[in-house]
């Protein structure tokens, strides 16, 4: 505990640090500022270079808080030696340091993958600033020595490196009441406040039409025949719709139908044809998230940051798949299947109402398309061979 602290927190190295290592920072951030995470603070952090020492201080000044200073991998000395592991220093300017923990994993919902190096923030409510850390290459994170209480936890794809939630950057959040330890899985996605619109339509085959939207739609609020209408132009003649599928379900059914046809033709080559396409495999409720690594040792301010080898990150791919399978996968495409065939060389329009994006915004719109003409084939010419580009042979 360091009450009435007014100076700089110092990171001491045993070699001279390269001030410009790491290249340019995001926005107004210097290369050194990119290498430290000081939290909780409101506003920028001043980071100074003093040859073998790096000083850190919030621009707003020190408040009566428990501070977490994370020294990120990437400091380089003049002989090009690089620190390849993170160090954490905890110190208090008044309050008692807690012993609770929040850990978990950050995932990319749309891409169905882990979010590498996600920016994590745990905000103790009703405060507006929280504790920061970075997820590892497996998307896993660990925040220790927190006070019990009510928190909102964010995971962000900090693409521009400014350590803020950008309007166009994917993120997710969850509220929790922390007693001693809690694990969470966060499904990041872009929070687009603009309503979704249809932006393209094409005929997939004679009875199927694909519609593509400007953004992914909420899988919990699928479109049905009350929201989707197809008309033939120019007379606006309604066309009967049999069903509406997501692109993923349509692809699965198409692949299953193709496999069934292939099985009929070549039964000896297929050993098991009883299964149906497993679009969302069942997952036991309450599947655990990956365990977080052990907490780092507590060190006093000015503790020496020594480089060490980064431990290999183990990612349980089976568990990641189970976590992702707990939520339906959003898609920006639907496939409309019709009762009757589309007419060749005819013009159609799709009318959409109530398409809902991932933040609940609803949008309407019309999009047109033309069914292509069938390709004419000269069977006689095909049988004889194409002689269009060859001169007739002169008889001897």
């Amino acid at each position: 505990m360091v009450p009435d602290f007014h100076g700089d927190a110092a990171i001491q190295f045993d070699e001279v640090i390269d001030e410009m290592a790491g290249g340019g920072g995001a926005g107004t951030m210097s290369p050194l500022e990119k290498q430290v995470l000081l939290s909780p603070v409101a506003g920028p952090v001043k980071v100074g270079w003093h040859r073998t020492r790096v000083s850190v201080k919030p621009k707003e000044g020190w408040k009566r808080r428990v501070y977490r200073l994370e020294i990120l991998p990437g400091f380089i000395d003049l002989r090009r030696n690089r620190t390849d592991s993170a160090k954490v220093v905890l110190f208090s300017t008044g309050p008692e340091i807690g012993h609770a923990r929040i850990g978990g994993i950050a995932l990319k919902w749309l891409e169905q993958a882990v979010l590498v190096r996600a920016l994590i923030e745990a905000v103790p409510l009703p405060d507006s600033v929280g504790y920061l850390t970075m997820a590892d290459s497996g998307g896993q994170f660990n925040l220790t020595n927190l006070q019990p209480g009510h928190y909102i936890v964010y995971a962000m794809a900090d693409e521009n490196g400014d350590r803020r939630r950008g309007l166009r950057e994917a993120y997710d959040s969850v509220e929790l009441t922390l007693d001693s330890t809690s694990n969470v899985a966060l499904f990041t996605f872009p929070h687009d406040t603009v309503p979704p619109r249809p932006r393209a339509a094409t005929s997939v085959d004679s009875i199927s039409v694909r519609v593509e939207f400007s953004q992914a739609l909420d899988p919990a609020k699928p479109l049905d025949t009350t929201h989707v209408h197809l008309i033939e132009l120019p007379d606006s003649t309604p066309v009967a719709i049999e069903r509406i599928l997501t692109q993923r379900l349509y692809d699965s059914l198409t692949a299953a139908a193709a496999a069934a046809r292939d099985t009929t033709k070549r039964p000896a080559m297929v050993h098991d044809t009883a299964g149906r396409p497993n679009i969302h495999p069942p997952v036991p409720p309450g599947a655990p998230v990956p365990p977080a690594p052990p907490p780092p040792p507590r060190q006093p301010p000015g503790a020496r940051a020594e480089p060490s080898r980064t431990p290999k990150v183990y990612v349980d791919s089976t568990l990641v798949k189970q976590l992702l399978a707990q939520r339906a996968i959003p898609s920006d495409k639907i496939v409309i299947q019709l009762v009757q065939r589309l007419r060749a060389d005819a013009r159609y329009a799709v009318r959409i109402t109530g398409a809902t994006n991932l933040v609940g915004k609803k949008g309407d719109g019309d999009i047109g398309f033309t069914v292509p003409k069938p390709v004419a084939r000269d069977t006689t010419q095909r049988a004889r061979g194409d002689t269009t580009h060859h001169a007739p042979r002169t008889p001897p």
Side-chain angles (χ1 to χ4, degrees):
M1 186 176 296
V2 191
D4 299 323
F5 183 56
H6 298 288
D8 295 340
I11 308 169
Q12 184 67 51
F13 296 88
D14 56 4
E15 299 285 347
V16 177
I17 297 301
D18 186 347
E19 182 181 7
M20 298 306 296
T28 59
M29 290 181 65
S30 70
L32 287 181
E33 288 173 334
K34 295 194 303 179
Q35 297 302 128
V36 297
L37 278 176
L38 179 64
S39 60
V41 296
V45 175
K46 296 187 292 184
V47 181
W49 177 78
H50 310 278
R51 295 180 61 80
T52 60
R53 179 172 59 88
V54 174
S55 61
V56 181
K57 185 177 183 179
K59 191 172 183 180
E60 65 177 357
W62 301 105
K63 307 294 183 181
R64 193 175 183 276
R65 293 172 180 163
V66 175
Y67 285 93
R68 184 180 193 274
L69 174 60
E70 183 168 355
I71 306 161
L72 301 174
F75 278 104
I76 299 175
D77 65 21
L78 298 183
R79 291 185 289 183
R80 314 316 295 167
N81 296 312
R82 181 183 184 276
T83 59
D84 54 7
S85 65
K87 298 290 183 180
V88 175
V89 176
L90 296 166
F91 62 97
S92 174
T93 57
E96 190 173 322
I97 296 177
H99 301 283
R101 167 193 165 275
I102 299 174
I105 188 168
L107 304 166
K108 295 192 287 188
W109 190 13
L110 302 184
E111 295 84 355
Q112 295 288 284
V114 298
L115 179 55
V116 176
R117 307 298 296 167
L119 179 65
I120 308 298
E121 183 181 19
V123 182
L125 299 176
D127 291 347
S128 58
V129 293
Y131 292 93
L132 299 176
T133 189
M134 300 287 288
D136 59 25
S137 58
Q140 301 178 48
F141 62 89
N142 189 40
L143 276 168
T144 60
N145 298 103
L146 301 174
Q147 286 286 354
H150 195 53
Y151 286 80
I152 180 167
V153 183
Y154 295 91
M156 296 159 270
D158 189 21
E159 296 176 358
N160 61 7
D162 64 355
R163 294 172 185 168
R164 295 180 178 85
R165 292 189 301 277
L167 295 177
R168 298 182 179 276
E169 293 174 335
Y171 74 92
D172 189 23
S173 63
V174 62
E175 288 191 36
L176 57 88
T177 299
L178 181 63
D179 182 13
S180 58
T181 186
S182 182
N183 289 327
V184 294
L186 293 142
F187 295 75
T188 64
F189 62 94
H191 287 58
D192 201 329
T193 57
V194 178
R197 308 287 185 189
R199 65 179 182 184
T202 55
S203 56
V204 181
D205 52 44
S206 60
I207 60 168
S208 303
V209 178
R210 179 187 293 112
V211 180
E212 181 178 353
F213 291 84
S214 57
Q215 55 189 275
L217 304 182
D218 186 350
K221 299 177 181 178
L223 296 171
D224 56 30
T225 53
T226 64
H227 303 91
V228 180
H229 302 276
L230 182 66
I231 59 174
E232 184 177 355
L233 301 175
D235 300 327
S236 298
T237 305
V239 179
I241 296 175
E242 181 181 0
R243 59 180 177 174
I244 299 170
L245 307 173
T246 64
Q247 180 68 55
R248 182 177 294 271
L249 179 55
Y250 173 80
D251 292 341
S252 297
L253 296 175
T254 302
R261 289 193 300 270
D262 189 62
T263 301
T264 304
K265 294 177 182 178
R266 298 182 296 170
M269 297 183 64
V270 180
H271 301 288
D272 183 8
T273 60
R276 297 182 178 180
N278 194 359
I279 301 166
H280 296 298
V283 180
V289 299
R298 290 163 56 185
Q299 302 177 23
R304 192 169 191 159
E306 298 180 357
S308 62
R309 187 170 300 277
T310 304
K312 184 178 180 180
V313 176
Y314 172 72
V315 181
D316 188 341
S317 58
T318 301
L319 184 54
V320 169
K321 290 179 181 178
Q322 289 179 338
L323 291 169
L324 288 169
Q326 291 181 356
R327 292 190 180 185
I329 305 172
S331 176
D332 62 353
K333 300 179 183 67
I334 62 171
V335 176
I336 306 168
Q337 293 197 315
L338 309 173
V339 175
Q340 296 179 338
R341 293 176 178 272
L342 295 165
R343 291 197 310 111
D345 200 27
R347 180 75 176 166
Y348 293 87
V350 181
R351 290 179 176 172
I352 305 289
T353 59
T356 307
N357 70 3
L358 299 179
V359 297
K361 293 291 184 180
K362 294 182 180 292
D364 308 329
D366 296 357
I367 193 71
F369 68 97
T370 301
V371 180
K373 295 180 181 180
V375 178
R377 295 185 179 182
D378 188 338
T379 55
T380 303
Q381 183 179 10
R382 183 177 58 182
R384 295 179 180 177
D386 186 0
T387 61
T388 304
H389 302 290
H390 300 278
R393 302 179 71 179
T394 304

